[in-house]
């Protein structure tokens, strides 16, 4: 199921009862019923900071710790349509507004691409909240450690992803430090709203034997929208990219056949990290 989020508060919209309404009574998937009703915002004077505080309170009541909630919202909300149009997206280092930098061209499905593409001029661009490029990649086999979780559990502070990274790097069966690492998301039960499997791992050959205790994921050949972060502290930039993914206006393009974070030599310093997030989408025509 392809799930979108309210472009005002970021709430996942999983049923028609949650959709906002236009003046003629028709529904819209852009906004939730709590933010938008009868063709207008319920709180037209609401500011971005006000929305952040209101949503932080709601998430706290649902069991999420305040610091994590506020951090997530500050990374996600500015990229939603309501606030993006109001000029809240961060500016570039030179003080000018960061423009959307979408490169809609895609490669041939037969081309054996690597996720690193040094010829891509958007690679070092400021983070815009939109895909830096689209690529088509062959299938992959990844090996590592996995767990079953949900976004809600991870946001509550009771998640398993952080510990999974720690267990992976403590393993004796991982490649050299320079080898790319993946945070791979598969087996989605209900888009961004339900359970999924997270695997922390690396590339392996099709016939390579797995170390004891390791799991595997087979990603099918797919076209991906690639979101490239700015360079900064790992915790900040990864959260920022996923906030933009959840707020992306093309949620209906997502296939949920398998998405992944790609960590290469740009991620060796956790305080100065740049990461790519690959989101599987329908083939662009």
């Amino acid at each position: 199921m392809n799930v979108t989020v309210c472009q005002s508060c970021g709430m996942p919209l999983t049923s028609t009862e949650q959709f906002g309404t236009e003046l003629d009574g028709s529904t819209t998937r852009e906004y939730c019923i709590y933010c938008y009703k009868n063709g207008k915002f319920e709180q037209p004077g609401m500011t971005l900071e006000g929305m952040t505080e209101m949503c932080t309170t709601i998430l706290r009541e649902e069991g999420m710790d305040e610091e994590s909630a506020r951090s997530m919202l500050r990374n996600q909300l500015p990229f939603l349509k309501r606030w993006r149009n109001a000029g809240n997206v961060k500016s570039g280092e030179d003080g000018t507004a960061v423009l959307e930098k979408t490169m809609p061209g895609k490669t041939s499905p037969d081309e054996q691409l690597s996720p690193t593409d040094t010829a891509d001029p958007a690679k070092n661009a400021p983070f815009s909240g939109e895909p830096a490029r689209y690529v088509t990649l062959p299938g992959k086999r990844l090996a590592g450690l996995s767990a079953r979780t949900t976004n809600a559990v991870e946001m509550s502070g009771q998640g398993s992803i952080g510990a999974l990274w720690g267990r992976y790097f403590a393993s004796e069966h991982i490649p050299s430090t320079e080898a790319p690492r993946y945070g791979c998301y598969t087996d989605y039960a209900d888009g961004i709203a339900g359970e999924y499997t997270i695997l922390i791992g690396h590339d392996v050959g099709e016939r390579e034997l797995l170390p004891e205790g390791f799991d595997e994921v087979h990603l099918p050949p797919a076209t991906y929208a690639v979101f490239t972060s700015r360079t900064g502290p790992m915790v900040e930039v990864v959260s920022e990219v996923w906030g933009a993914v959840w707020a992306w206006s093309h949620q209906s393009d997502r296939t949920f056949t398998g998405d992944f974070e790609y960590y290469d030599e740009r991620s060796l310093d956790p305080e100065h990290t740049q990461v790519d997030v690959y989101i599987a989408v329908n083939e662009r025509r």
Side-chain angles (χ1 to χ4, degrees), residues 260-279:
F260 59 89
E261 299 157 3
Y262 182 78
Y263 299 88
D264 57 12
E265 69 278 357
R266 299 166 300 161
S267 309
L268 295 178
D269 181 352
E271 292 302 312
H272 297 87
T273 287
Q274 187 174 44
V275 61
D276 295 323
V277 174
Y278 284 67
I279 301 298

Side-chain angles (χ1 to χ4, degrees), residues 85-158:
N85 291 349
N88 291 290
V89 176
K90 297 177 182 178
S91 62
E93 293 181 358
D94 60 356
T96 60
V98 175
L99 301 176
E100 296 181 354
K101 298 179 182 293
T102 303
M103 300 180 64
K106 80 173 191 63
T107 60
S108 164
D110 298 325
E111 187 174 352
Q112 300 291 307
L113 287 179
S114 165
T116 53
D117 181 1
T118 56
D120 181 4
K123 180 64 71 175
N124 295 312
F127 182 54
S128 71
E130 291 289 317
R133 65 192 186 281
Y134 289 81
V135 299
T136 298
L137 300 179
K140 290 180 175 294
R141 183 186 183 219
L142 305 178
L145 300 175
S146 67
R148 194 76 175 156
T149 187
T150 68
N151 286 332
V153 170
E154 296 302 319
M155 293 174 187
S156 72
Q158 304 300 314

Side-chain angles (χ1 to χ4, degrees), residues 198-244:
I198 170 70
L199 180 136
I200 308 301
H202 52 271
D203 283 297
V204 291
E206 284 299 323
R207 298 185 179 181
E208 187 173 338
L209 295 178
L210 297 181
E212 184 177 354
F214 267 35
D215 305 310
E216 64 180 329
V217 163
H218 288 263
L219 292 176
T223 297
Y224 296 93
V226 184
F227 293 76
T228 299
S229 78
R230 62 182 174 88
T231 299
M234 183 176 292
V235 174
E236 290 183 12
V237 300
V238 173
S239 175
E240 187 176 81
V241 173
W242 278 109

